[in-house]
Every structure is written in structure tokens, then in C-alpha cells.
Amino acid sequence: MKRHCVIGILLAALIFAGSTQLSAQAPASGLWPLVLIPNGETVYDVVNHITWLTDANLPARQRFGIPLCDGNNPVAPCVFGSGIMDYQSAKDWILALNHANYQGHSNWQVPTTPASDSSCPGTGAVGNSFGFGCNASAMGYLYYKALGFQAPNTAVPIPPNRVGPFRNFQPDHYWSNDTQSPIASFNFVDGSQGGGTGGDFEYVLPMIPNEIPGTLPAWGMGLQVNPDGQTVYDPMAGVTWLADANLAASDTLGLPRCQTPTTPMNCVAQDGSMPNSSAGAFINNMNAYDHGAGYLGHTNWQLPPVAAGCNLLGCDGMGNPMGMLYYIQFGLSAGTPVVEPPDIAVGPFLHLWPYPYWSCAVDTPQHPISDPIQAPCDSAGATNNGAEFGFSFGDGYLGTGLEAFHFVTAYYVGCGLPELWCSLLSRL
């Protein structure tokens, strides 16, 4: 009788959780314990019947014999000190996790994503689904349903910070003035230059070409703060930066805050990130600020340029002012975040990055329990030609297909709780 009562309570709780509108700003702390059950080093997902790592960035602490990445041309398999890695390294790291029989299991796998997902708004050239709102994947379920986030909100806001003379730097992509497709941007998580779609949410670091007239002559080649404290001159790149590396988080300059990733038009997320069209509108508003006098009295603000054809890492030459800032002025090496996210719990998970995580494609729309059990899943046979996916806990975006470095977590199919609980929950 007691057993039936427990099962009934859990079932009612799961129905309640599935029918309740969850918070758009933070995890639904009163609801996630009904579907995600922590058990020390693991978390059991009651709905999908899979067991996650509690540490959402375990590779930063345990590499299981995978070497550290070194230099601007890292050879896989390797893991950067932050825990970020390419997809081949992600598969190799999980194989090493299984060889170590971590937590008594040797069937850990890369989280799966169905190649075709009706909850996604976009479909790629080879039929793979992508975009915001994709909740049929293992990580999409966590972000949108179990933890209750709403795109484009971040799971881990970055607190105020200082990086040299700059403030509020974000460990993520920043838009450039590139107009090609995919649109090039610079990544202050790992120092890479890559491309994305205009609908991606990235940050804006405005700049003015050359030194501002009337400021003191440059001395040396280091970053130089102008007398107003609001701008920073980089004599190496020959550009003047806005000192606030995320102005849009505190002042959208008239642009609306996003209710969804696409409404209102030209909107800005709560954390200051925005799509490319909004970035252009933001710069226009800077130049039209104060009845045409311009923001801080300047009307020649622009998005930074990038040099076409640069390799993924090490883009620090002329024509790449963001790369020069990262590699030369900040003195960072490839794979090093400009700042670390706060070490806070997100529901039952620890060390979660507000950034893309690797996932692999499978040919099924069902929950992960129905996916082919591969250790690790290698995308073999997927309808999108085996392309890997990246799901971002920074904004809820599912992307595919580009060479990149992402973070890695894993699960195994099955229940990691004590046998009695597993027996009870298996009847739900």
C-alpha cells in the first residue's frame, strides 16, 4: 500500500511538473527535484531513465589520461585546462571514462540529439533540425523542461568582473562586422575565430578606429585607459574600445528586451547577448545617441573587423583586433577563458558552463532510453551524415556542423539510485 502511495505521489508530481509554466529567469527550484534526483556524483533523470554526471565539467578536473591541449594547433585527443575540447576528443574522453569504469559503469555516452526534432524551428540542408526551442534532445530536455529555462536566457549569468581595464567581459562569442555567411565572430572562451548564423545570440564590444582625437599621445604598446575611464586605446591594433565589454546588459540604448529569441525584432537578451541584426541596430543607436551627438560624444562606433581566412585558433595579426586583445594584450593562450563562470549549482548540477556542450545525432525522436546505446555515441548512421551537435546552456540554442571546441558531459542509460527507488520509479 505504501509503495503504491509513493508511486502515485511521484506520478502526480511528474504530471504537475509537465503541465506547469516554468520560470523564464531561473531554474524552477521547486520542480526540478521531481524529475532530477541527485545521488552524489550522479543525477537520475526520472523521465528519460538516464543517469547524468553531477559535475557538468568533469574533464576540467579528471582527464582520465587524455593529454592537455597545447598551442594553436592542438592534436586530438586532448583537453584544454578549462575542460573544453573538440568532438573527437569528447568521444575519446568518454571512452576513457568507460575504461576507468567510472562510478561503477562502463556505458557512459555523449548525450544524444534526434537528427529530426519537430520542436526545432530550423532544418539544415541535410535535414538535421536546429535552433531555439529544441527540447527532444537529452540536453534540450534539461534546459527547457527539467530546469525550466526559456530561450534566450542563460543558465549561468556572468557576474560583474574586471579584465585589465575592461569590465563585464563575457566568456563567449562576440560579433564582428563581417557580412558573409556564416558570420565570423571571435570567441573569448578559447580564442577561436569561427562563424555562425545571424540568429545566434552573441555579445557586442564596440570600437572606434584609431585613437580618439584630443586624448593624450600613446606611450608604449600596452592598453591605455583614456581620461574619461570609459574607453581604452590599443596602440598595437590601432583601435579604441568601449571599456564596458557588455554595455547591452545594463543599457540596451533603446532596443527592447527579448521575450523570445525572435520577438520583439532587434531585441537584446537579459544578459546582453543579441542576434546579429540587433548588434547592427545597437551600433546605429550608439552613433545616433544624444540627438546625434553620439555615445560618449562619438559617432563612429562600429563592430570589430576580422581577417578572412584565419585559422580557428591563433588569429592575433593585424586585421583581428579582438584576437590581438585576447592573445597579446591579455596574454591568454588558446583554450583559456577570459573569465570563468561563477561556480554555482544549476538545479542538481555543478560546474555548468553557459556555453555549447557536445551532443551526437541519432535517427530517432524518442527519449534517450530508446536511442541506440553506443559508448560513446558516435553519430554513425544519422540522417544528417553523422554531424555532431552543440547545445548551449547559455541561451538554449541547438547548433550543428561547424568545427569548434565545446564542453562535455555524459550519461548512461539506466537508474543510478538505490535498487528500491529504481524499482519504484521503473513503474512510472
Side-chain angles (χ1 to χ4, degrees):
M1 190 67 171
K2 289 183 179 179
R3 178 178 297 178
H4 291 156
C5 181
V6 170
I7 294 175
I9 291 171
L10 283 170
L11 184 58
L14 291 173
I15 293 172
F16 172 79
S19 62
T20 301
Q21 180 65 40
L22 303 181
S23 167
Q25 300 301 322
S29 58
L31 295 178
W32 69 256
L34 305 177
V35 292
L36 299 174
I37 303 176
N39 184 34
E41 300 298 317
T42 59
V43 174
Y44 181 56
D45 177 343
V46 174
V47 172
N48 293 305
H49 303 292
I50 57 178
T51 298
W52 291 92
L53 293 169
T54 299
D55 188 339
N57 190 19
L58 184 62
R61 277 156 286 282
Q62 291 186 255
R63 300 196 311 275
F64 296 99
I66 303 296
L68 277 171
C69 297
D70 183 34
N72 295 332
N73 296 291
V75 178
C78 68
V79 179
F80 284 110
S82 64
I84 204 169
M85 65 188 84
D86 66 12
Y87 187 68
Q88 180 60 50
S89 298
K91 293 193 296 181
D92 288 343
W93 180 81
I94 289 182
L95 283 174
L97 191 74
N98 288 329
H99 290 155
N101 199 39
Y102 187 71
Q103 296 296 312
H105 289 271
S106 58
N107 59 333
W108 296 94
Q109 67 176 71
V110 179
T112 59
T113 291
S116 178
D117 179 356
S118 61
S119 66
C120 294
T123 303
V126 292
N128 54 291
S129 300
F130 70 94
F132 291 102
C134 304
N135 57 44
S137 68
M139 287 186 284
Y141 169 78
L142 288 183
Y143 177 92
Y144 286 104
K145 295 186 175 181
L147 296 173
F149 290 103
Q150 179 176 312
N153 292 325
T154 181
V156 185
I158 305 299
N161 60 72
R162 283 278 182 178
V163 180
F166 293 88
R167 57 185 182 273
N168 301 321
F169 241 110
Q170 303 299 297
D172 212 319
H173 296 80
Y174 276 74
W175 288 116
S176 77
N177 66 359
D178 182 34
T179 59
Q180 303 300 310
S181 181
I183 301 168
S185 60
F186 190 85
N187 187 351
F188 284 90
V189 165
D190 57 21
S192 63
Q193 180 178 300
T197 66
D200 293 346
F201 272 65
E202 301 182 4
Y203 297 90
V204 172
L205 180 59
M207 55 154 274
I208 294 173
N210 305 313
E211 190 172 8
I212 294 175
T215 55
L216 296 174
W219 65 97
M221 298 305 290
L223 296 173
Q224 299 169 29
V225 182
N226 288 321
D228 62 0
Q230 301 300 309
T231 55
V232 178
Y233 180 58
D234 182 347
M236 294 197 69
V239 302
T240 297
W241 299 103
L242 187 67
D244 189 340
N246 191 19
L247 174 64
S250 58
D251 188 350
T252 65
L253 301 182
L255 298 182
R257 291 292 180 188
C258 295
Q259 298 172 14
T260 75
T262 56
T263 57
M265 288 186 62
N266 290 338
C267 64
V268 178
Q270 292 291 338
D271 70 342
S273 61
M274 64 188 82
N276 186 254
S277 61
S278 299
F282 187 81
I283 294 295
N284 289 340
N285 287 0
M286 290 187 77
N287 291 325
Y289 192 79
D290 193 18
H291 306 288
Y295 191 76
L296 301 179
H298 304 288
T299 59
N300 54 340
W301 295 101
Q302 67 173 63
L303 293 171
V306 291
C310 183
N311 293 328
L312 185 64
L313 298 173
C315 302
D316 60 358
M318 293 303 295
N320 286 281
M322 289 189 286
M324 296 180 76
L325 189 62
Y326 176 93
Y327 286 104
I328 300 176
Q329 298 292 16
F330 293 162
L332 298 174
S333 58
T336 305
V338 67
V339 293
E340 297 270 348
D343 194 7
I344 59 175
V346 180
F349 297 102
L350 303 175
H351 313 307
L352 182 71
W353 270 79
Y355 193 81
Y357 275 71
W358 286 120
S359 181
C360 67
V362 291
D363 285 336
T364 173
Q366 279 80 35
H367 292 305
I369 186 65
S370 301
D371 291 342
I373 300 176
Q374 304 173 56
C377 172
D378 62 4
S379 300
T383 53
N384 67 343
N385 296 327
E388 58 272 11
F389 287 69
F391 184 87
S392 176
F393 287 93
D395 55 19
Y397 187 84
L398 176 67
T400 66
L402 295 174
E403 182 184 6
F405 300 97
H406 293 338
F407 291 92
V408 181
T409 189
Y411 64 68
Y412 63 82
V413 176
C415 179
L417 300 174
E419 185 176 348
L420 174 60
W421 276 102
C422 292
S423 176
L424 294 175
L425 294 170
S426 67
R427 306 183 186 188
L428 296 179

